[in-house]
Amino acid sequence: MTDTPPPTPAPRFEPLTVPKASDVLAAEVRERILSGEFDEGTALPPERQLVEQTGLSRATVREALRVLEVERLVEIRPGRGGGAFVRRPGRDSLASTVRLVIRGQRIRLEALHETREAIEPACAALAARRRTDSDLAELDAAHAELVGAGTDVPRFLRANIRWHNAVARAGDNELLIGFMGALSQSIHASTDLAQFLDAGIRRLTAHAHARVTEAIRARDAAAAHRRMSRHVCGFARAATEVDGRELVALPEAED
């Protein structure tokens, strides 16, 4: 008796997820913006034309534009002469994203200090290699403001952030510039310690800034890296000793 072969199992398919039409349209426009096909300020076709060209409903087109507006890739201008205009991602987009991550993920102060220790010495080394006379003038102006702040702690903190951002700009690396700008609010929040920023700490900070600036002026990248590392690591250790907070507390971003 011949054995009967088992029946061939019927083909099976996994459930499919079909993307929303608005997401598909948003993805196409996003890609064309990011690829450089659409320049900054380019006006997208009016809503009526987008409906005609894509074959999608007006509600779908509007939803896609709202997605891109939230991503800050288009600006919707109302009224006569209005419409959807292309925006290329900039430092403000990075800053907004980093703030959301810090608040949403409840980033630890330790993580912020580690991030500064990782990137700020690199910023200083690049600044020593690439700085211009105008960069030095900005570093000197920020330092003079910091020294002149005296007992005005808010002014001291603003000058401190101004100097650190000036170092990043002198390095002429767009990602590092944007990232340091994005971290500014977090750095301010983590250093605003009334019980910590006494005259001695302010004096040591001013001295450290002067030494880093000196290395940048001399185009000594190794010294700039070493001195900035010593500065941010020392500040982190000293701040941790007096700061009982575990998380970075950021206020809601202002529009």
Side-chain angles (χ1 to χ4, degrees):
M1 181 176 181
T2 304
D3 293 336
T4 302
T8 302
R12 291 181 57 85
F13 295 90
E14 296 298 324
L16 298 178
T17 301
V18 179
K20 294 167 57 179
S22 58
D23 290 341
V24 174
L25 177 57
E28 179 181 348
V29 178
R30 183 188 302 113
E31 179 58 31
R32 295 175 76 172
I33 292 173
L34 297 179
S35 69
E37 180 179 345
F38 298 153
D39 293 330
E40 177 86 22
T42 298
L44 296 181
E47 187 178 285
R48 183 189 300 275
Q49 289 185 24
L50 281 174
V51 169
E52 294 173 354
Q53 292 172 11
T54 63
L56 301 175
S57 69
R58 177 163 296 192
T60 298
V61 168
R62 287 179 176 174
E63 185 175 353
L65 292 177
R66 279 197 296 270
V67 169
L68 295 168
E69 184 181 25
V70 169
E71 294 176 350
R72 299 191 177 189
L73 291 175
V74 301
E75 177 186 359
I76 307 298
R77 302 175 190 170
R80 184 180 298 275
F85 295 83
V86 170
R87 294 181 62 184
R88 301 296 299 278
R91 297 172 193 167
D92 57 338
S93 299
L94 178 57
S96 177
T97 299
V98 171
R99 281 196 298 268
L100 287 174
V101 170
I102 290 173
R103 296 192 70 207
Q105 296 296 322
R106 298 177 61 78
I107 296 298
R108 296 169 294 112
L109 274 171
E110 182 183 7
L112 173 63
H113 290 316
E114 289 169 350
T115 302
R116 294 188 65 190
E117 291 167 12
I119 70 173
E120 292 210 54
C123 289
L126 287 174
R129 298 188 186 103
R130 300 172 178 174
R131 60 68 172 174
T132 64
D133 289 343
S134 61
D135 292 324
L136 291 177
E138 174 59 16
L139 286 169
D140 290 339
H143 181 67
E145 182 181 351
L146 183 140
V147 172
T151 60
D152 187 342
V153 172
R155 182 183 172 193
F156 175 90
L157 289 171
R158 289 193 299 270
N160 180 53
I161 296 302
R162 177 184 175 185
W163 183 85
H164 282 274
N165 282 334
V167 171
R169 286 194 297 273
D172 197 29
N173 180 299
E174 285 298 321
L175 282 175
L176 288 175
I177 294 170
F179 203 74
M180 277 304 300
L183 285 179
S184 292
Q185 192 178 26
S186 305
I187 294 172
H188 188 287
S190 69
T191 55
D192 189 6
L193 304 170
Q195 73 275 34
F196 176 57
L197 286 175
D198 58 18
I201 290 296
R202 295 197 299 272
R203 184 171 59 252
L204 287 174
T205 300
H207 177 72
H209 285 196
R211 292 283 287 159
V212 174
T213 300
E214 180 183 274
I216 292 173
R217 194 183 310 275
R219 297 190 185 279
D220 189 338
H225 188 286
R226 184 175 61 254
R227 293 173 186 177
M228 182 65 92
S229 179
R230 187 182 303 128
H231 171 46
V232 294
C233 292
F235 191 96
R237 285 194 301 271
T240 300
E241 291 177 1
V242 299
D243 190 358
R245 297 174 298 172
E246 293 184 357
L247 305 177
V248 181
L250 291 184
E252 293 187 17
E254 296 180 0
D255 293 333

